[in-house]
Amino acid sequence: MYAVIGALVFVMLVFLMMGVRVVRQGYVYTVERLGKFTLSAEPGLHLIVPFVDRVGQKVNMMEQVLDIPGQEIITRDNAMVGVDAVVFFQVLDAGKAAYEVHNLYAAIMAIVTTNLRTVMGSMDLDETLSKRDEINARLLGVVDHATSPWGVKITRVEIKDIRPPIDISEAMARQMKAERLKRAEILEAEGERASRILRAEGEKQSAILSAEGKKEAAFRDAEARERAAEAEARATEVVSQAISQSGNQAINYFIAQEYTKAIGKFATSPNAKTILFPIEATQLIGTLGGIGEMAREILGDGRKGDVTTPLELPKGAPRTAVPRTRGEGEE
């Protein structure tokens, strides 16, 4: 009796254990009842009816990466290029991904490959090399629309590498080198042109400033000469007035003054030790005598006690009167 009960308990435990299913995080299990899809088991603990329900497929719900193998594609200008790509996708509906397409990975790879040939085949070689973003966007739109009935979301399609033929690569390298040399020569020419323009502008400004300086200097020099002429005219006018008032005495005074200054310049010359004058001393004495006579006439009213005595001069020298003070006791 106890053996039968124990056997029944063991069978029930085995039956329960067969009905317990634990779904891992990131996956969804499809449950089939008598071969028909009934529900999608989310991550966690689930109970199913043994021998009636079973787990159909374990669908990965995480974002996945599918590597597209290298493809040889002919562009619109008949250039053969090798292309590698990758696809990022995520399953949104486990039931559709499990039962709407037989092999999800192979189907995505096939649809990406065919559309990659279509998109790049409609472009020139230069466009395929320079417009990768456009190629990625076009592929993403086409592939995502095609896989949406499968419960799949294509998140990104990226071109990894584009390999043009060797001869085309060498030609492109030569073209790039020539283009860079051209740009360098253009930049050098523009720099030389700018340098010459700046140099010419500097010379122009220098010439303008020099001309303005010369103009200002000429104006100042003319103004100085004008003022000097005015001063000379004023001095001449004053001398003329003095001559008109004093007669020959003023003339003798001015001549003697200039004469004495000229002789003083000879005496202060730093390069002369001995000075020979091609003039007679009597002329200087006569001139000084004239000055003394003129001073006596001008100052005669203030010095009435003065008398004039002749100097004893050498024989042949002109006699010139010089003032002498009268001593006490003399008449």
Side-chain angles (χ1 to χ4, degrees), residues 104-117:
L104 179 63
Y105 298 101
I108 294 176
M109 184 179 299
I111 197 168
V112 171
T113 301
T114 55
N115 284 279
L116 182 63
R117 291 178 179 274

Side-chain angles (χ1 to χ4, degrees), residues 19-312:
V20 175
R21 291 291 184 270
V22 177
V23 180
R24 294 182 297 168
Q25 182 66 37
Y27 286 84
V28 171
Y29 294 174
T30 59
V31 178
E32 300 175 357
R33 177 166 295 174
L34 301 177
K36 182 180 179 181
F37 171 71
T38 56
L39 60 88
S40 298
E42 300 292 335
L45 180 63
H46 295 272
L47 295 176
I48 62 175
V49 180
F51 306 109
V52 177
D53 297 336
R54 72 180 186 91
V55 176
Q57 294 189 20
K58 300 178 181 180
V59 182
N60 188 347
M61 304 298 291
M62 296 178 288
E63 186 172 3
Q64 304 175 63
V65 181
L66 184 61
D67 192 5
I68 306 299
Q71 304 291 322
E72 296 294 332
I73 300 175
I74 300 176
T75 61
R76 187 171 59 184
D77 52 355
N78 297 324
M80 183 74 70
V81 294
V83 181
D84 295 333
V86 290
V87 179
F88 297 82
F89 68 95
Q90 184 177 13
V91 177
L92 301 180
D93 190 334
K96 291 182 178 180
Y99 300 105
E100 294 293 335
V101 60
H102 173 62
N103 190 339
L104 179 63
Y105 298 101
I108 294 176
M109 184 179 299
I111 197 168
V112 171
T113 301
T114 55
N115 284 279
L116 182 63
R117 291 178 179 274
T118 302
V119 172
M120 296 191 66
S122 62
M123 304 173 68
D124 295 333
L125 178 62
D126 293 339
E127 294 178 342
T128 59
L129 296 176
S130 61
K131 296 182 178 180
R132 290 195 179 191
D133 293 339
E134 182 179 346
I135 295 173
N136 295 336
R138 292 174 62 180
L139 281 174
L140 178 61
V142 173
V143 176
D144 184 55
H145 179 71
T147 57
S148 58
W150 304 339
V152 176
K153 173 65 178 177
I154 305 297
T155 57
R156 299 187 67 180
V157 178
E158 297 288 341
I159 302 296
K160 290 198 303 183
D161 186 24
I162 298 177
R163 301 179 300 276
I166 297 177
D167 55 345
I168 296 179
S169 299
E170 293 176 352
M172 292 173 62
R174 291 194 301 270
Q175 180 182 2
M176 180 181 65
K177 182 178 179 180
E179 184 67 24
R180 293 186 179 274
L181 290 176
K182 175 184 176 182
R183 292 180 182 177
E185 291 177 357
I186 291 174
L187 291 176
E188 184 178 359
E190 290 180 352
E192 182 67 21
R193 174 174 173 268
S195 176
R196 291 183 179 180
I197 291 174
L198 292 177
R199 192 180 298 113
E201 287 289 339
E203 293 176 355
K204 175 184 175 182
Q205 293 295 330
S206 176
I208 292 174
L209 292 177
S210 177
E212 291 179 353
K214 291 179 180 179
K215 176 183 176 182
E216 184 68 18
F219 177 77
R220 302 268 179 150
D221 185 51
E223 186 178 6
R225 289 199 303 269
E226 181 181 357
R227 293 185 178 180
E230 291 177 356
E232 185 69 22
R234 179 63 179 167
T236 303
E237 182 181 356
V238 173
V239 171
S240 299
Q241 292 178 0
I243 291 173
S244 63
Q245 294 175 2
S246 302
N248 295 332
Q249 295 174 356
I251 296 175
N252 292 334
Y253 170 77
F254 288 119
I255 294 175
Q257 185 182 18
E258 296 297 329
Y259 191 76
T260 305
K261 290 181 181 179
I263 293 175
K265 290 182 179 179
F266 281 106
T268 58
S269 175
N271 298 324
K273 300 300 182 180
T274 302
I275 303 173
L276 298 177
F277 293 96
I279 59 175
E280 295 181 359
T282 57
Q283 296 178 358
L284 177 60
I285 295 172
T287 304
L288 294 176
I291 296 173
E293 183 179 356
M294 180 183 64
R296 185 176 62 252
E297 292 179 358
I298 295 173
L299 303 175
D301 296 338
R303 300 178 60 182
K304 294 181 180 180
D306 293 345
V307 297
T308 302
T309 57
L311 290 174
E312 294 295 333

Side-chain angles (χ1 to χ4, degrees), residues 303 305-309 322-328 330:
R303 300 178 60 182
D306 293 345
V307 297
T308 302
T309 57
V322 296
R324 187 176 66 86
T325 304
R326 178 185 298 178
E328 295 180 359
E330 293 182 357

